[in-house]
Amino acid sequence: MNAPTRRDVEAAARRLAGAVRRTPLVGSPWLSDATGADVRLKLESLQVTHSFKARGALNAILCHAQDRPGGSVVTASAGNHGVALAWAAKAAGVPATIFTPSGAPTTKLRAIARHGASLRAVARDYDDAERLALEHAAAEGAVYVSPYNHRDVIAGAGTIGPELIDEWPDVEIVLVPVGGGGLISGVAIALKRARPGIRIVGVEAENNPVLQRCLAAGRITHVDVSPTLADGLSGNLEAGSVTFEIVAGMVDELVTVSEAELREAMRDLVAHDHLVAEGAGVPAVAALMAGKVRVGGKNVAAIVSGSNVDVATLVEVMTGAGRQP
Amino acid sequence: MNAPTRRDVEAAARRLAGAVRRTPLVGSPWLSDATGADVRLKLESLQVTHSFKARGALNAILCHAQDRPGGSVVTASAGNHGVALAWAAKAAGVPATIFTPSGAPTTKLRAIARHGASLRAVARDYDDAERLALEHAAAEGAVYVSPYNHRDVIAGAGTIGPELIDEWPDVEIVLVPVGGGGLISGVAIALKRARPGIRIVGVEAENNPVLQRCLAAGRITHVDVSPTLADGLSGNLEAGSVTFEIVAGMVDELVTVSEAELREAMRDLVAHDHLVAEGAGVPAVAALMAGKVRVGGKNVAAIVSGSNVDVATLVEVMTGAGRQP
């Protein structure tokens, strides 16, 4: 597969206009105080389907419906891409089958079912869901829409980029949560050639440092991962994933955050900014709070990428119950 | 005091442009399903200072600074108006003194102090804070900026109106939380003459049904009130409050919601829309959920007016702990 280009991102932005939300960019006084930077949050947590995934999923479904009318799609998802694809497929009248881990958050599984997609919440983890979805695609002739390794999905996610620099032309650093690398790839493609001075920094969960390990190895390799509060970032890279080359070539820095740092970021976003975000939504905030990135005096945009969290999990995080040592 | 006019609201909108946030209007699928209406939420919970009060406070301070350069201001507030006035006063370099109940939420008191205002969290309740602030104004020669009974405050709050119809020209019903009536007065002035077909519905806390009792009595009268989760709505009407006449003349309907309904609305906003709102922010949502207003088949905007809630209170509401019978 070829990587998408800036032109693909621009085409996606035209395709998505009016169908996805131009999410707010809001200043965060406490995070600015804590870091000595001007920190603003790009609230994809308020996006349709409650995550940035709506952008890539709808872009992919609209392209699919045009190229292969009548065809069905299948995907694997930790949850949010599944919700977004189910929503987009329903809007376009495309049959969709979604494989997820059986332990995905209830709020995500319910939303997938509510949009009328065929939900198969049967996998052990994300990697298992990916394997099952690829088998299903081969057996049923459905088109596999990867949550990260897909040209149209990446281009759709990249539409956050032009919104950011349109609203804040002076932005200097953009922090992006990283799982399979689809979001940061899209944002880097959208911003890096247009504005080479902008630093693009990716943040992985310490329990799922897949791209950093692969970059260190110089190739896509299997990485042992553990469960993380950032469930939406879980999983290894598909062989040949285009996100590996894009991240290697265009991303300035990758850092990790611990489970405790993710918890603290979720809690502090509620306490100070009165915002709900899921674990996978807060790595950029966690990295800023924990001082993982040098940002003093800079204009820093942090993408808060989603808010699909179960109430029980949110309460547990807010009260510190069940906290890891 | 004269009531503000639509022209005052338009002037306020020009004055505030760029300094307060044009807050998002987001569809609420679960609330639409539950009511059979198209329900969208106007998220003043994401406003600067985390409540709609920033609009009125900044408008009042900018007018004050122009009319009486060098003069100081004093106010009484259940919390949010105090935060907003402290923020606006700091921006304009106006000395401000804020009287609040001693039991106001910590998040509100801290924000007032952080903005550098002189905080007097010494009152028994809102009515006591109002009395103290008026005494202070008389003794010190400071200008009293009422949180609701003030022409510029009402006009500022009214700037929500043009944003609403600009973004959703087909809106048919607007639901507004009601305490002293400043917000609903501003919104009614902005919308009712321009679009007489739009129904303006106010929602009071059952424990603080001040405007409904005064309207029933045909005049402003003392109403016995009890503490409410919607702390921001608490208190009686100042003698001669202009909001009484405006609400009597322009508001189509007033309803109340119980403490249990407020709790459920806060919890469901977190669970389904992944949004934090404070008790005073959710009366419109609570009224829709509880079927207090006929909305079937209509286009309904509900103002979610603020999100300044302490984490402990939010956790208590989310877990059902400390719930009233």
Side-chain angles (χ1 to χ4, degrees):
Chain A
M1 192 189 75
N2 293 327
T5 63
R6 226 176 105 199
R7 199 161 295 177
D8 293 322
V9 175
E10 288 160 3
R14 286 192 296 274
R15 211 173 277 123
L16 298 180
V20 302
R21 209 161 275 153
R22 191 182 165 92
T23 52
L25 180 73
V26 303
S28 177
W30 71 278
L31 210 42
S32 298
D33 285 352
T35 56
D38 182 349
V39 179
R40 305 188 191 180
L41 308 174
K42 177 69 170 167
L43 296 182
E44 289 295 302
S45 48
L46 296 174
Q47 186 50 272
V48 181
T49 76
H50 305 294
S51 87
F52 78 96
K53 293 284 191 182
R55 298 174 185 261
L58 184 59
N59 191 46
I61 287 287
L62 293 175
C63 293
H64 168 86
Q66 187 167 31
D67 295 346
R68 298 193 39 173
S72 62
V73 297
V74 58
T75 197
S77 169
N80 278 337
H81 173 70
V83 177
L85 202 80
W87 164 78
K90 184 185 185 188
V94 172
T97 302
I98 322 276
F99 287 87
T100 74
S102 57
T106 308
T107 190
K108 298 181 182 182
L109 298 181
R110 282 205 189 132
I112 292 170
R114 198 173 61 234
H115 291 306
S118 171
L119 170 63
R120 313 278 177 91
V122 296
R124 277 189 313 277
D125 53 20
Y126 173 76
D127 294 345
D128 190 38
E130 189 170 272
R131 186 184 56 76
L132 292 169
L134 286 163
E135 283 176 12
H136 177 96
E140 306 287 333
V143 171
Y144 177 65
V145 182
S146 165
Y148 57 93
N149 184 26
H150 191 290
R151 182 191 179 106
D152 302 326
V153 169
I154 294 170
T159 59
I160 292 172
E163 287 181 22
L164 265 180
I165 49 174
D166 182 48
E167 186 143 351
W168 200 12
D170 297 331
V171 63
E172 296 170 288
I173 303 176
V174 180
L175 273 84
V176 188
V178 173
L183 174 56
I184 199 167
S185 292
V187 169
I189 287 164
L191 296 183
K192 204 62 191 178
R193 293 225 172 85
R195 302 277 301 276
I198 295 181
R199 275 184 79 74
I200 310 283
V201 180
V203 188
E204 292 187 296
E206 205 171 87
N207 285 3
N208 199 82
V210 170
L211 265 157
Q212 284 174 81
R213 295 281 173 81
C214 291
L215 288 174
R219 62 185 176 84
I220 294 176
T221 179
H222 179 83
V223 177
D224 287 332
V225 299
S226 324
T228 166
L229 181 63
D231 59 89
L233 305 181
S234 297
N236 266 272
L237 286 191
E238 187 180 11
S241 176
V242 69
T243 56
F244 175 77
E245 296 295 341
I246 300 170
V247 171
M250 302 183 99
V251 168
D252 295 285
E253 188 180 357
L254 284 168
V255 299
T256 58
V257 289
S258 69
E259 294 301 295
E261 287 158 354
L262 289 168
R263 283 173 179 271
E264 200 181 343
M266 274 180 74
R267 202 163 45 237
D268 281 1
L269 273 181
V270 172
H272 299 295
D273 289 324
H274 309 310
L275 294 171
V276 174
E278 63 182 287
V282 301
V285 170
L288 287 170
M289 287 175 56
K292 300 286 174 87
V293 187
R294 290 171 63 100
V295 295
K298 299 289 187 185
N299 295 333
V300 181
I303 298 178
V304 177
S305 54
S307 59
N308 282 312
V309 57
D310 287 344
V311 168
T313 305
L314 186 60
V315 166
E316 185 207 293
V317 167
M318 284 164 62
T319 57
R323 200 176 187 174
Q324 314 253 332
Chain B
M1 192 190 73
N2 292 327
T5 63
R6 226 177 107 199
R7 198 160 297 176
D8 293 322
V9 176
E10 289 161 2
R14 287 191 296 274
R15 212 172 277 125
L16 298 179
V20 302
R21 210 161 274 152
R22 192 183 164 93
T23 53
L25 180 72
V26 304
S28 177
W30 71 278
L31 209 43
S32 298
D33 286 353
T35 55
D38 183 349
V39 178
R40 306 188 191 180
L41 308 175
K42 178 68 169 168
L43 297 182
E44 289 294 303
S45 49
L46 296 174
Q47 186 52 270
V48 180
T49 75
H50 304 295
S51 88
F52 78 96
K53 294 284 191 182
R55 298 174 185 261
L58 184 58
N59 192 47
I61 287 288
L62 292 176
C63 293
H64 167 87
Q66 188 167 31
D67 296 347
R68 298 192 38 172
S72 62
V73 297
V74 58
T75 196
S77 169
N80 278 337
H81 173 71
V83 177
L85 201 80
W87 163 78
K90 184 185 185 188
V94 172
T97 302
I98 321 276
F99 287 87
T100 74
S102 56
T106 307
T107 190
K108 298 181 182 182
L109 298 181
R110 282 205 189 131
I112 292 171
R114 199 173 59 235
H115 291 306
S118 171
L119 170 63
R120 312 277 176 94
V122 296
R124 278 189 312 278
D125 54 20
Y126 173 75
D127 295 344
D128 190 38
E130 189 170 271
R131 186 183 57 76
L132 292 170
L134 286 164
E135 283 175 11
H136 177 96
E140 306 287 332
V143 172
Y144 177 64
V145 181
S146 166
Y148 56 94
N149 184 26
H150 192 289
R151 182 190 179 107
D152 302 325
V153 169
I154 294 171
T159 58
I160 292 172
E163 286 181 24
L164 265 181
I165 51 175
D166 182 49
E167 186 145 351
W168 201 11
D170 297 332
V171 63
E172 296 170 289
I173 303 176
V174 181
L175 274 84
V176 189
V178 173
L183 174 57
I184 199 167
S185 292
V187 169
I189 287 163
L191 296 183
K192 204 62 191 177
R193 294 227 170 84
R195 302 278 302 278
I198 295 182
R199 276 183 78 74
I200 310 283
V201 180
V203 187
E204 292 186 298
E206 205 170 88
N207 286 2
N208 200 81
V210 171
L211 264 158
Q212 284 174 80
R213 294 280 172 81
C214 291
L215 287 175
R219 61 186 176 84
I220 294 176
T221 178
H222 180 83
V223 177
D224 286 332
V225 299
S226 324
T228 166
L229 181 63
D231 59 88
L233 305 181
S234 297
N236 266 272
L237 285 191
E238 187 180 10
S241 176
V242 69
T243 56
F244 175 78
E245 296 295 342
I246 300 170
V247 171
M250 302 184 99
V251 168
D252 295 285
E253 187 180 357
L254 285 168
V255 298
T256 58
V257 289
S258 69
E259 294 301 295
E261 287 159 353
L262 289 168
R263 282 173 179 273
E264 200 181 344
M266 274 179 75
R267 200 163 46 237
D268 281 2
L269 273 181
V270 172
H272 299 296
D273 289 324
H274 309 311
L275 294 171
V276 174
E278 62 182 287
V282 301
V285 170
L288 287 170
M289 288 176 57
K292 300 285 174 88
V293 187
R294 290 171 62 102
V295 295
K298 299 289 188 185
N299 295 333
V300 182
I303 297 178
V304 177
S305 55
S307 60
N308 282 313
V309 57
D310 287 343
V311 169
T313 305
L314 186 60
V315 166
E316 185 207 292
V317 167
M318 284 165 64
T319 56
R323 201 174 185 174
Q324 314 253 333

